[in-house]
Amino acid sequence: MPRRPRFNGALRLLVYLLDVGEASFSRIRNDTRMKYETVARAVEILKEVGFIEERIDDKPPYPRLVKLTDKGKKAAELIREFLKLAGEL
């Protein structure tokens, strides 16, 4: 059986946020099983290109929350289609 390609955390995070909307790092880690470092790196990359925005919740324990921008939603929709074609979704 051929080895399935692995897609990096940033692509996974985009598609995940398309499904859930806004999420905390903890929720992302629990739902996707990505390591904290992977989530943090993906968030930084996606913020740099304008695909996500981040805020701090005003309620304790004040989690960092991320969500897609309009530009990010467009990219995530394309990536979702790509992953479906690649057999990853």
Side-chain angles (χ1 to χ4, degrees), residues 3-89:
R3 185 174 172 194
R4 297 177 69 185
R6 294 194 178 255
F7 296 94
N8 75 31
L11 298 180
R12 289 179 58 201
L13 181 56
L14 279 173
V15 174
Y16 171 79
L17 290 173
L18 186 61
D19 291 335
V20 301
E22 188 174 63
S24 69
F25 275 48
S26 296
R27 181 175 175 197
I28 294 166
R29 287 177 39 230
N30 289 337
D31 291 351
T32 65
R33 297 190 173 141
M34 288 193 286
K35 294 179 182 177
Y36 178 86
E37 297 80 14
T38 303
V39 174
R41 187 172 46 251
V43 166
E44 290 308 312
I45 291 167
L46 296 172
K47 278 177 29 183
E48 283 180 22
V49 295
F51 285 174
I52 64 171
E53 51 191 32
E54 180 180 14
R55 71 179 182 88
I56 305 295
D57 195 353
D58 56 355
K59 298 179 189 113
Y62 309 106
R64 292 169 64 182
L65 301 169
V66 292
K67 69 178 184 176
L68 294 173
T69 61
D70 289 339
K71 181 179 172 182
K73 287 177 187 172
K74 290 176 187 174
E77 289 167 356
L78 292 171
I79 291 165
R80 175 183 276 152
E81 287 305 309
F82 170 79
L83 293 173
K84 282 181 183 176
L85 290 171
E88 292 291 312
L89 288 180

